[in-house]
Every structure is written in C-alpha cells, then in structure tokens.
C-alpha cells in the first residue's frame, strides 16, 4: 500500500493507492498513525481513495479507526466498487463519503466564455461544461448546482447541471441539452439586432428582480456576502481603502429580490427559440437590485485592463453600448434626470465589485492583483467624496 500525505493549514489528506486488504491493513494503520503523529494540529482529515480498487473488512476497520480518532474525517474519490462496499456496510451513513467523479476531456473543445472562477467550453451541440479554476473546492461547485435549482423553482429560466466531473485536476459542471449560444455570440453574429437583444436582457433582469425570495429557502443574503468579500480582500489593500468600500456597502439598502450576482452577456444563453436562460449560478442570492446591476455594470462597462473580448466574447465598445441600452430599457418610463441618477447610483456601487471580485479566488495571478491596486486610486480614492455623496442617496431607491 502506497501512502502519501499533504497538509494545508491544518487540513490533512492521506492518499492511499493499492488494495486495502487483510495482508496490508495492520501495517497501513500503523503507517498512517506514524505520518499523522508529525502533524501539530489536524483541523480535518481526508482519506483520498482514488487509487484504491479493493477494500476488505479489515480495511474498513482502518477507516473506522480514523473516523473515531478524528472528528472531521471524510473519504474522497471512492471508486465505484469501493463506494458500493462502503454503502452496503453503512459507512456512508456514519461518515462523509464522496464517490469518485467521472473524468472528461476538453481537448479540442471551443471556449465560449471565461470568468473569474472558471471557463466554459462547448463539448457538442447539446452540451457545455464549466471548468472551475484549479483549487476551487467541491463544496463551491455543488453550491452552484443548489443555487441553480433554487432559482429554477422560484421561476427563473435556468440551465441546471446534474453532473459534476473531473477535468484534469479541476472540477467541472456539465450542462446537457443546452442547444444555445451565449448572448455575446448572438450579438457578434447579428450586431444589427443589438437593440432587440438589449430589450431581452433587460427583461431577464426585470423578471429576476420581480421575484421575492421567501425566508425559508437556502438562498443567501448578497449584502452580507458583499461585506465579507470586501473584508476578504484586505490582504491586497490598506485599511483606509477597505473602509471606503465598506462605507459604500453600508449604504446599500436591504432587499428580498432574487439576484444573479454575475449576469453578463457570457452568463445568458439564447436558445433556438430566442429565449434567454441563466448559467453560472454560483453567486445567486437575495438583496436589492442595485447590487445585481452594479455587478454587471462593473464587468461590462468598467472592466479594467486587457482581455475584455476574451472574457465577454464581444468588444469593449459593443459591451458598453449593450449594457447602456439594457439600463435604458430596464428603467423605461423614468425621465432623463431620474435615469441619470439611477446610473450614478449603480456606478457608485459598482466601484465595490471592481475590487471585491478578487475574493472569488485566492489564486489570481499577481499581475491582476497589482492592476486592481493601481486602479483603486483613479476609480475610488480620488472620487471618494463623490461616491459617498451618491451612495448616501441609495435609500431613495425603494422596491
């Protein structure tokens, strides 16, 4: 039996490879105890069994002993045959057991969208896959599935994935029966229809923001997450900068409306019937619509640095025009002065998202972090009095 240990901030993983049968069980248990003796404080212990293709009753006792010694113990990557044994013997009821995921290759697949936490590829006419950044925890992937289901039940046209897979060392979500293109692709294909697309996009926002999220569902509070995100990026910005962003967040009113959290042209898919549906549901929550609009405005209008077309699938000029048209239709009926005021409010709140997006991952390239730090003075620090004055008016945006 081959045993490898990895440690990350108190989270210990023991990877086993071979047959965990009677002939090796006693020595395996002793070897594991010896390896763990060198760990000062174990917060959680994971037994990675991807390399184990057989387990006997004595092998089960090894796992049971580990579960009894360590409160936060789980088994990961259990192969189908091993998982079946664990299920039949009741282990799946007394400890956390994860079955190994099927592996899928994206070699030769066309990239159709790129974002902060992952990249979307088309596998075939009916199937797309979102591949998460390396290091993304499985719980985050599963949360996206859960939020998609919650949104679907509440009435939003949402693509739902039922299949989590492995793509190399990353996790992926497969969306099947999705014969559709991103809104960005549609705009590029038929630029003369941009006004029509903007109307449909605005209606998607309006449909979502008309939904009142019940208090008994599992959808989280976006305003709380916004504050957490700002505090999380304190590793990149000084205290004064963080305080500026937190003051803007503190002025955002509470709300109970359904929010996507990252609704851009790459996260809206148009099917063959011309209907839009949502993907990329990892940031779904409830709150005030200004947060949703500000997140989209931050991306499509105020995106900083290079790579705009690579991420959104359209040019910066077209993306800015598209979202400005979307806002005009979203607020249709407001006079020019009131519309300008709403856009000022959205712009002020978008300054938070311009930087809090760094909380989406702890593995962004250093160059992106430095770029964001350079943008801060221009977009926030030198405008802070104006931003404070505008954010103070958010209370007048009633639902």
């Amino acid at each position: 039996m081959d045993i490898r240990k990895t440690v990350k901030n108190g989270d210990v993983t023991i990877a086993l490879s071979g047959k965990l049968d009677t002939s090796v069980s006693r020595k395996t248990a002793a070897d594991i105890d010896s390896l763990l003796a060198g760990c000062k404080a174990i917060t959680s212990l994971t037994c990675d069994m991807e390399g184990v293709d057989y387990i006997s009753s004595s092998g089960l006792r090894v796992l049971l002993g580990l579960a009894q010694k360590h409160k936060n113990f789980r088994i990961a990557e259990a192969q189908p045959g091993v998982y079946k044994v664990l299920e039949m013997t009741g282990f799946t009821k007394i400890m956390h057991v994860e079955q190994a995921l099927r592996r899928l290759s994206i070699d030769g697949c066309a990239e159709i969208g790129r974002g902060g936490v992952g990249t979307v590829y088309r596998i075939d006419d009916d199937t797309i896959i979102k591949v998460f950044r390396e290091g993304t925890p499985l719980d985050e992937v599963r949360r996206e599935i859960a939020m998609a289901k919650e949104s679907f039940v509440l009435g939003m046209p949402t693509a739902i994935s039922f299949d989590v897979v492995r793509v190399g060392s990353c996790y992926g979500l497969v969306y099947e029966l999705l014969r559709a293109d991103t809104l960005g692709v549609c705009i590029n294909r038929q630029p003369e229809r941009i006004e029509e697309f903007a109307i449909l996009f605005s209606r998607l926002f309006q449909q979502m923001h008309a939904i009142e999220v019940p208090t008994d569902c599992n959808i989280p509070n976006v305003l709380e997450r916004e504050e957490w995100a700002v505090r999380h990026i304190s590793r990149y910005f000084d205290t004064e900068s963080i305080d500026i962003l937190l003051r803007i967040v503190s002025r955002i009113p509470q709300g109970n409306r359904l929010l996507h959290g990252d609704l851009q042209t790459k996260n809206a898919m148009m099917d063959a019937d011309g209907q839009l549906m949502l993907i990329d549901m990892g940031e779904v929550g409830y709150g005030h619509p200004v947060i949703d609009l500000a997140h989209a405005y931050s991306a499509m209008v105020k995106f900083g640095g290079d790579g705009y077309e690579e991420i959104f699938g359209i040019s910066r000029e077209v993306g800015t025009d598209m979202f400005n048209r979307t806002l005009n239709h979203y607020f249709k009926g407001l006079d020019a002065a009131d519309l300008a005021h709403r856009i000022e409010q959205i712009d002020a709140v978008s300054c938070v998202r311009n930087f809090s997006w760094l909380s989406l991952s702890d593995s962004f390239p250093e160059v992106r972090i430095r770029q964001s730090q350079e943008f801060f003075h221009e977009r926030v620090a030198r405008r802070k009095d104006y931003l404070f004055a505008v954010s103070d008016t958010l209370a007048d945006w009633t639902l």
Side-chain angles (χ1 to χ4, degrees):
M1 174 65 64
D2 180 60
I3 307 173
R4 291 176 289 109
K5 178 186 75 173
T6 57
V7 181
K8 184 178 180 181
N9 300 325
D11 297 322
V12 181
T13 297
I14 297 293
L16 307 180
S17 182
K19 295 184 184 297
L20 190 51
D21 57 20
T22 304
S23 66
V24 301
S25 292
R26 182 172 296 182
K27 185 176 186 305
T28 297
D31 289 344
I32 291 175
D33 286 343
S34 178
L35 284 172
L36 296 181
C39 301
K40 293 183 179 179
I42 299 177
T43 304
S44 68
L45 177 63
T46 298
C47 185
D48 183 339
M49 299 187 67
E50 183 178 9
V52 177
D53 55 13
Y54 176 82
I55 188 168
S56 67
S57 59
S58 56
L60 292 175
R61 285 194 289 273
V62 173
L63 299 179
L64 185 59
L66 290 172
Q68 291 171 340
K69 294 176 185 176
H70 302 277
K71 182 178 180 181
N72 295 320
F73 174 73
R74 71 186 185 100
I75 298 170
E77 299 292 336
Q79 296 300 316
V82 172
Y83 184 85
K84 185 175 182 179
V85 172
L86 294 170
E87 187 175 39
M88 290 175 58
T89 54
F91 273 55
T92 55
K93 295 181 179 180
I94 62 174
M95 63 183 71
H96 184 83
V97 181
E98 296 174 2
Q99 189 170 2
L101 304 175
R102 73 181 177 100
R103 292 192 172 272
L104 192 147
S105 173
I106 56 171
D107 291 345
C109 296
E111 180 182 319
I112 63 174
R114 182 183 294 267
V117 297
T119 304
V120 179
Y121 300 88
R122 180 167 295 285
I123 299 175
D124 53 43
D125 286 345
D126 294 328
T127 314
I128 65 173
I129 181 172
K130 176 181 178 181
V131 181
F132 289 79
R133 290 175 62 87
E134 188 167 2
T136 301
L138 185 58
D139 286 347
E140 184 173 325
V141 178
R142 287 179 170 154
R143 183 175 70 241
E144 181 161 329
I145 296 176
M147 291 301 99
K149 290 179 179 178
E150 293 274 5
S151 301
F152 183 81
V153 170
L154 289 174
M156 286 306 297
T158 303
I160 298 176
S161 170
F162 296 95
D163 196 7
V164 183
V165 298
R166 280 279 197 180
V167 181
S169 59
C170 302
Y171 292 112
L173 276 183
V174 177
Y175 294 85
E176 297 182 298
L177 302 178
L178 197 61
R179 190 180 291 272
D181 290 310
T182 68
L183 187 53
V185 168
C186 295
I187 294 170
N188 273 339
R189 184 185 298 142
Q190 297 178 294
E192 72 280 1
R193 294 180 61 192
I194 190 169
E195 185 72 8
E196 178 186 345
F197 292 140
I199 292 172
L200 293 174
F201 201 35
S202 70
R203 288 174 180 170
L204 191 63
F205 275 104
Q206 289 171 332
Q207 179 183 354
M208 187 162 49
H209 297 164
I211 295 174
E212 298 185 26
V213 176
T215 56
D216 60 348
C217 76
N218 296 317
I219 295 177
N221 186 322
V222 171
L223 192 54
E224 292 178 0
R225 188 169 64 210
E226 198 84 342
E227 181 179 343
W228 171 87
V230 172
R231 296 188 185 280
H232 190 75
I233 62 171
S234 60
R235 67 187 72 183
Y236 307 130
F237 298 93
D238 60 33
T239 301
E240 182 180 357
S241 299
I242 295 298
D243 286 345
I244 292 173
L245 297 179
L246 286 175
R247 176 168 170 177
I248 296 173
V249 171
S250 72
R251 299 304 192 268
I252 300 173
Q254 293 284 347
N256 67 342
R257 304 307 171 87
L258 184 64
L259 311 179
H260 181 277
D262 192 24
L263 185 46
Q264 310 153 12
T265 52
K266 68 182 178 64
N267 289 334
M269 304 288 293
M270 179 169 283
D271 65 21
D273 296 324
Q275 303 297 312
L276 290 179
M277 68 178 73
L278 300 169
I279 61 169
D280 207 350
M281 308 295 286
E283 294 189 70
V284 164
Y286 70 86
H288 194 286
V290 69
I291 303 176
D292 224 12
L293 296 169
H295 279 205
Y297 190 84
S298 169
M300 296 192 64
V301 178
K302 299 187 68 178
F303 180 86
D306 301 323
Y308 188 102
E309 190 161 353
E310 178 184 11
I311 292 175
F312 302 110
I314 50 181
S315 70
R316 184 185 294 272
E317 180 181 8
V318 171
T320 299
D321 180 34
M322 171 65 180
F323 199 68
N324 285 333
R325 290 171 185 260
T326 298
L327 289 178
N328 287 337
H329 289 291
Y330 183 92
F331 292 112
K332 187 175 182 179
L334 290 184
D335 61 35
D338 287 339
L339 174 60
H341 178 53
R342 285 289 179 255
I343 293 176
E344 282 183 332
Q345 292 173 316
I346 292 168
D347 175 60
V349 176
S350 77
C351 288
V352 177
R353 177 66 169 190
N354 267 179
F355 308 97
S356 66
W357 68 270
L358 289 169
S359 67
L360 294 175
S361 173
D362 292 332
S363 60
F364 285 117
E366 186 64 30
V367 63
R368 293 290 288 153
I369 296 170
R370 288 199 305 271
Q371 196 172 57
S372 294
Q373 292 167 334
E374 292 166 2
F375 283 148
F376 193 88
H377 176 74
E378 174 189 349
R379 296 190 173 185
V380 178
R382 72 179 183 84
R383 301 172 64 220
K384 68 176 183 179
D385 291 337
Y386 164 77
L387 295 174
F388 289 160
V390 173
S391 60
D392 284 344
T393 70
L394 285 167
D396 69 26
W397 189 335
T398 56
L399 300 179

